[in-house]
Amino acid sequence: MSAQKTSASRTKPVSAVGAFVGFVGFSVLAGLLVTIGVTPAIAVAGVTTTSTIGVFESLPEYIEIGDLPQRNELYAYQGGKSVHFATVYDQNREELKFDQISDNLKNAAIDGEDKRFYEHGGVDMTSLVRAGVGSLAGGLGESGGGSTLTMQLVRNIKMQQALELPTEQERLKAYNAATETSIPRKLEEMKLAIGLAKKYSKKEILTGYLNIAYFGDQTYGVQAAAQHYFNKSATDLTPAEAASILAIVQSPNTRNLASPKNYDANVARRNVILKSMLAQKHISQADYDKAVASKPADYVRLTEPTQGCKASVGDGSQFFCDYAVQVVKEMSQLGSTQKERDTAWRNGGYTIQTTLDIDANAAQKQVLNTYDNKAETALKLGAALDSVEVGTGRILTMAQNKDYSQALQSPPTSTGLNYSVDKKYGGGIGFQVGSTYKVFTLLDWLKAGHGLNETVNGTPHNTSTWQHCGEPMYSNWAPKNDSPGERGNYTVARATALSVNAAFASMAAQLDLCDIKSTAESLGVHSGDDKTELNSYPSSILGTNNIAPLTMAAAYAGIANNGTFCEPIAIDQVTNAAGKKLGGQPKQCKQVLDPSVAQTAIYAMKQTISSGTAVGAQTADGTQLFGKTGTTDDADQIWLVGSSSRVATAYWQGNTDGGKNNLRHYSNGVNGTYAGARAGVWRQAQTPMNAAYPAGPFTDPSSSALRGNSAQVPDVSGKSAADAKAALAASGFTYVDGGTQPGGGQAGTVSSTSPAAGSYVSRGGSVTVYTSDGSQATIPKVFGKDIGAARSEIEDAGFTNIAISDQYEKGGGSKECKVASTDPAITSTVSKDSPVTIKLFGTEDGKAPKDCK
């Protein structure tokens, strides 16, 4: 750097031999420069230059000042306006133009480091000779190298070029070569400085030096240094501040102003620079006296650089920031190869407009803070909320309960794992999504021409044969329902609202499992590890795949968009350091579902919120919403994914360590269990989205879409088995003999069917027919009839054990002695052997009438 020694070099013992070698080395350099006419001839005794001229001429002549690494600035939206929320850089630097740099700084640099800067051609022979003589006392080193500002700029450029190499090994080798203490390195540095002086003006060289120099504490360039140490711009610095900054360059680690322990060393060099500034008449005696009398504590206002995503503005924005940085480094706007893109990002200077809604994200973060305790000790609890704009795929929020930390050992309340995204972007492998995955069976059901009004078997049952990619798959599977009371037949719409597992197994048995998987993939669904293919075995229809919350939010946004899926995007615009707009992530949307299919699925899932498993999720603003809950077998992962016509939101909470702790059994400390608060949490998360992105109603499906290709089961009650079979076949159904059951009517006639008459069933579907054994009869409608007529009708129905009750209902008048009720009740079907008791109307006060016959 300059001839001034660092504190370390001053204390280092130097041998006489080393001093002699240093003297001879610098004599060679000086003699070489004299010989080639770089500077006025200055005789240096005992110098021979014949062999060194060839070496010098073989060295590269030019080096580019080039663009320096700068800060990358990230912007989000707040109230519809673009606002800065994060600064991310490889080196903390902000380049200034010559006129933006304080005169005090420029003078301090020249007076303190290179007094003849405006006189020499890049190499100062006077300083070089003096440094050579000085090496007798200190050896060959940076402090004794006679380096001009131009030579220091060359060294800094080469150091910077080394730091931009792709591998650590390459960087270290090149950096050591740029900084080694050797004659060849000094020769190269001098020749490049000469070339630099020929190519660039003095203004450009001085500006380049002040922008590239390292000022300690991870701070590069005078602007970053002024902001960090003084909390002000480098445009307006006092002589003391300017000299203190330039005092750092010779020994950044021991003279930086980040610690008071460095103040004395800084002041010593500062005062030398101030004395030079006074001697060069760049400051007055009064300015000098005031400056040297000041103490660093008088003007140091240490300001931590707001660097990195951890320092991003906005509660909970850190995880989105981290994701956005990774996404932008994949964009072709930064280069055609990953190496080029990494270098471009490291060089910085980019302004990145992201899609983040900073207020909505903060609101969702507060909801998670309230209901998903980041300090929970009973289990490793994670939670995330992700909102995606319908029709664009723009990611509006990415919040999670844990705080952001990239430390090797984070506290339990923090994590570096982004729960919302795939492994390649800093997430895990995703989480089992439970019944939120049922939507893809529903969609495939509708794509196959089925309807919501069709009836399917919701009683747990075993299925052994499935269709898998056009081939039969033999696999016994009998899923349980979430509640033991869930049995019988359900319409598909009701099975969706109540999330009946067995009903969806019945639906999947009529479909191809690979088609269900393909439907999910068409909506962007993929495994969180981004390598494993989605499973397509029978149980996968209930959500056994590990998927990231952002992926599920984007899929539901595609459904809300009438079946047009848009890839999620985080970057609206990239602007380079020159102010040129390079564009953002392209909007990639594709129609993957027929709109009527999407609309019909939405119609079913609206009932999930109005009368199904997500009751309590409806927002108070009345916005039309649809959704689907998801709960894994052990309730260790809990989901609710839903959408308005403008914004889809995915809510996930669960065990993050593979634990199976049942979230239905752990209190959230607010209003019940973690799982039990699901609908309320989603409602509170969606409310600000509805306010910021007002949504209209969904389009209801047609009646034919609800019905699909189904037909109504005809009423075959009372028919013979043969006639019933014929009637069902005529309607397109397959007859299944359910056997004989106790029933009324003539033995052998049909007593009931499953599904019941009037139900919608897929054409070609099975209808189970039950015939009567004739052992039962139905109590006829005898209310209000005379006792004699009633007795006769009951006997005609097949009952023989008939009695009159001695208790009477209050009646009076014309009601007396008429039938009030029967036991068993009128119209009930019971065994013909059952006793039937007739109860009559009595007097007004319920007494026995005088005469009832």
Side-chain angles (χ1 to χ4, degrees):
M1 304 286 260
S2 89
Q4 176 77 19
K5 291 181 182 295
T6 64
S7 58
S9 64
R10 280 200 302 268
T11 60
K12 183 178 180 180
V14 181
S15 70
V17 174
F20 176 74
V21 171
F23 175 72
V24 172
F26 273 102
S27 296
V28 171
L29 294 178
L32 173 61
L33 293 176
V34 170
T35 303
I36 64 175
V38 171
T39 60
I42 300 176
V44 180
V47 172
T48 303
T49 62
T50 305
S51 62
T52 52
I53 291 177
V55 174
F56 192 81
E57 289 180 340
S58 69
L59 293 171
E61 187 172 354
Y62 293 110
I63 191 170
E64 297 283 344
I65 292 179
D67 295 326
L68 298 174
Q70 297 188 69
R71 303 166 181 168
N72 298 301
E73 308 290 355
L74 274 65
Y75 286 76
Y77 294 98
Q78 187 171 44
K81 296 181 179 179
S82 177
V83 295
H84 179 268
F85 85 103
T87 300
V88 181
Y89 49 76
D90 187 66
Q91 293 181 356
N92 181 16
R93 186 197 319 275
E94 181 179 344
E95 282 197 73
L96 296 181
K97 296 179 180 178
F98 182 84
D99 294 338
Q100 295 175 305
I101 301 172
S102 162
D103 286 340
N104 284 326
L105 266 175
K106 290 179 279 195
N107 292 331
I110 294 171
D111 297 344
E113 297 291 318
D114 189 0
K115 294 183 180 63
R116 283 169 291 280
F117 174 69
Y118 285 108
E119 300 168 16
H120 60 67
V123 178
D124 183 3
M125 181 53 62
T126 302
S127 295
L128 187 69
V129 173
R130 186 173 63 247
V133 175
S135 69
L136 285 170
L140 180 62
E142 290 308 320
S143 58
S147 294
T148 63
L149 286 177
T150 312
M151 292 167 65
Q152 292 184 47
L153 175 56
V154 168
R155 189 180 314 118
N156 276 281
I157 291 172
K158 291 185 73 64
M159 289 160 58
Q160 184 57 51
Q161 290 173 342
L163 295 175
E164 293 173 7
L165 293 173
T167 69
E168 180 64 27
Q169 185 178 6
E170 290 175 292
R171 288 192 290 270
L172 184 61
K173 181 179 179 181
Y175 190 88
N176 288 338
T179 58
E180 69 175 348
T181 302
S182 70
I183 293 293
R185 197 271 296 167
K186 183 62 70 174
L187 275 171
E188 181 181 43
E189 187 177 288
M190 290 163 61
K191 186 167 185 182
L192 289 173
I194 293 167
L196 208 62
K198 291 179 181 178
K199 185 171 184 178
Y200 296 99
S201 69
K202 292 292 185 180
K203 280 187 177 182
E204 290 173 318
I205 291 171
L206 181 57
T207 304
Y209 171 76
L210 292 173
N211 278 324
I212 199 173
Y214 178 54
F215 292 97
D217 206 27
Q218 302 305 308
T219 304
Y220 296 80
V222 290
Q223 175 71 340
Q227 291 172 338
H228 181 41
Y229 296 125
F230 309 136
N231 195 25
K232 62 193 299 187
S233 172
T235 302
D236 184 25
L237 295 182
T238 66
E241 292 167 340
S244 275
I245 282 183
L246 264 297
I248 298 172
V249 293
Q250 289 186 0
S251 184
N253 294 330
T254 62
R255 292 183 189 159
N256 73 69
L257 297 168
S259 172
K261 70 180 182 181
N262 297 335
Y263 284 179
D264 288 346
N266 182 276
V267 167
R269 178 60 186 161
R270 178 201 71 177
N271 289 349
V272 171
I273 296 171
L274 287 168
K275 188 174 182 180
S276 294
M277 293 172 72
L278 175 64
Q280 298 299 317
K281 298 182 180 180
H282 285 135
I283 58 173
S284 67
Q285 184 67 49
D287 289 336
Y288 172 78
D289 292 341
K290 180 180 179 182
V292 296
S294 66
K295 299 177 181 179
D298 298 333
Y299 51 81
V300 171
R301 301 289 182 270
L302 193 65
T303 305
E304 289 302 319
T306 53
Q307 137 71 340
C309 289
K310 184 174 176 58
S312 62
V313 176
D315 191 13
S317 65
Q318 294 79 15
F319 289 99
F320 176 86
C321 171
D322 187 276
Y323 173 74
V325 167
Q326 295 184 68
V327 167
V328 77
K329 288 196 289 185
E330 293 181 337
M331 294 174 63
S332 61
Q333 288 91 325
L334 272 65
S336 59
T337 67
Q338 193 58 55
K339 181 179 178 181
E340 290 177 353
R341 293 190 286 270
D342 289 341
T343 299
W345 181 255
R346 192 163 55 243
N347 286 340
Y350 290 100
T351 298
I352 310 298
Q353 177 62 62
T354 73
T355 59
L356 180 69
D357 185 322
I358 206 163
D359 285 339
N361 194 80
Q364 291 188 354
K365 169 63 172 170
Q366 286 303 310
V367 172
L368 293 174
N369 287 348
T370 301
Y371 293 97
D372 291 284
N373 183 12
K374 65 184 178 184
E376 175 63 71
T377 58
L379 69 154
K380 302 293 185 182
L381 179 69
L385 281 162
D386 296 275
S387 292
V388 173
E389 186 175 43
V390 173
T392 65
R394 297 173 68 252
I395 304 166
L396 303 175
T397 68
M398 186 180 286
Q400 66 183 56
N401 67 328
K402 299 287 188 180
D403 296 328
Y404 178 83
S405 172
Q406 291 295 332
L408 292 177
Q409 290 187 331
S410 301
T413 56
S414 302
T415 182
L417 197 67
N418 188 342
Y419 301 140
S420 297
V421 300
D422 296 342
K423 186 176 182 179
K424 67 177 289 190
Y425 293 113
I429 61 171
F431 307 95
Q432 286 196 0
V433 295
S435 293
T436 59
Y437 198 85
K438 286 177 181 170
V439 67
F440 307 118
T441 298
L442 174 63
L443 290 168
D444 197 53
W445 173 265
L446 298 170
K447 285 167 62 178
H450 297 290
L452 293 183
N453 291 339
E454 288 188 40
T455 302
V456 292
N457 181 13
T459 300
H461 59 280
N462 180 67
T463 303
S464 58
T465 304
W466 309 80
Q467 279 296 112
H468 188 270
C469 300
E471 300 289 336
M473 170 190 279
Y474 302 102
S475 175
N476 289 308
W477 185 51
K480 297 178 181 178
N481 288 331
D482 195 48
S483 169
E486 292 175 339
R487 304 183 68 81
N489 293 317
Y490 292 82
T491 65
V492 169
R494 195 62 188 149
T496 300
L498 296 178
S499 197
V500 181
N501 292 340
F504 273 81
S506 296
M507 294 161 63
Q510 299 182 51
L511 306 169
D512 190 304
L513 296 174
C514 291
D515 290 344
I516 296 173
K517 170 190 166 185
S518 295
T519 297
E521 290 174 333
S522 73
L523 287 160
V525 177
H526 56 273
S527 175
D529 68 8
D530 218 28
K531 294 179 181 178
T532 306
E533 227 184 287
L534 289 177
N535 297 320
S536 56
Y537 43 74
S539 62
S540 66
I541 69 167
L542 301 185
T544 58
N545 284 293
N546 293 311
I547 301 167
L550 176 61
T551 300
M552 293 301 289
Y556 275 61
I559 299 169
N561 194 30
N562 288 317
T564 298
F565 170 71
C566 299
E567 293 283 351
I569 57 177
I571 310 299
D572 277 346
Q573 184 63 262
V574 176
T575 305
N576 67 14
K580 181 180 179 180
K581 294 185 183 301
L582 307 179
Q585 284 180 277
K587 180 180 173 182
Q588 299 183 64
C589 299
K590 182 181 180 181
Q591 188 82 42
V592 297
L593 299 171
D594 187 281
S596 66
V597 168
Q599 291 159 9
T600 307
I602 289 169
Y603 183 83
M605 289 189 288
K606 284 163 66 175
Q607 297 176 45
T608 303
I609 290 177
S610 64
S611 60
T613 56
V615 167
Q618 178 60 53
T619 54
D621 54 35
T623 299
Q624 281 195 13
L625 303 167
F626 74 87
K628 187 71 194 70
T629 55
T631 307
T632 54
D633 286 346
D634 296 309
D636 57 301
Q637 309 293 334
I638 303 294
W639 291 76
L640 202 168
V641 188
S643 186
S644 69
S645 60
R646 290 286 306 281
V647 176
T649 298
Y651 171 48
W652 159 83
Q653 61 173 192
N655 292 255
T656 61
D657 61 349
K660 296 295 183 181
N661 297 286
N662 190 320
L663 296 181
R664 289 168 169 165
H665 299 160
Y666 290 85
S667 171
N668 63 12
V670 182
N671 63 347
T673 65
Y674 285 115
R678 161 173 44 194
V681 170
W682 191 90
R683 181 187 69 248
Q684 293 180 58
Q686 186 69 20
T687 295
M689 308 314 301
N690 293 350
Y693 306 87
F698 293 106
T699 301
D700 285 338
S702 65
S703 57
S704 60
L706 295 176
R707 185 174 63 251
N709 60 12
S710 63
Q712 281 187 297
V713 176
D715 185 358
V716 293
S717 57
K719 295 181 180 294
S720 67
D723 289 345
K725 186 174 184 178
L728 290 172
S731 297
F733 301 116
T734 300
Y735 175 94
V736 175
D737 186 357
T740 300
Q741 294 181 332
Q746 184 178 346
T749 59
V750 176
S751 58
S752 64
T753 61
S754 179
S759 300
Y760 284 92
V761 176
S762 302
R763 295 184 187 277
S766 299
V767 176
T768 302
V769 177
Y770 300 96
T771 54
S772 172
D773 62 1
S775 65
Q776 295 182 336
T778 301
I779 306 294
K781 298 178 180 179
V782 294
F783 177 80
K785 294 188 176 182
D786 292 335
I787 186 172
R791 182 188 291 273
S792 178
E793 287 189 33
I794 293 172
E795 288 175 345
D796 290 343
F799 295 99
T800 57
N801 188 1
I802 303 170
I804 307 297
S805 173
D806 57 2
Q807 301 295 315
Y808 295 87
E809 294 286 346
K810 292 180 180 180
S814 62
K815 288 185 176 182
E816 288 185 7
C817 296
K818 301 290 177 65
V819 176
S821 63
T822 64
D823 182 21
I826 291 171
T827 70
S828 60
T829 299
V830 294
S831 172
K832 294 177 180 179
D833 296 336
S834 301
V836 179
T837 302
I838 301 172
K839 191 174 185 180
L840 304 176
F841 285 109
T843 62
E844 290 182 357
D845 56 0
K847 299 285 180 69
K850 289 183 179 180
D851 187 20
C852 287
K853 296 182 179 179

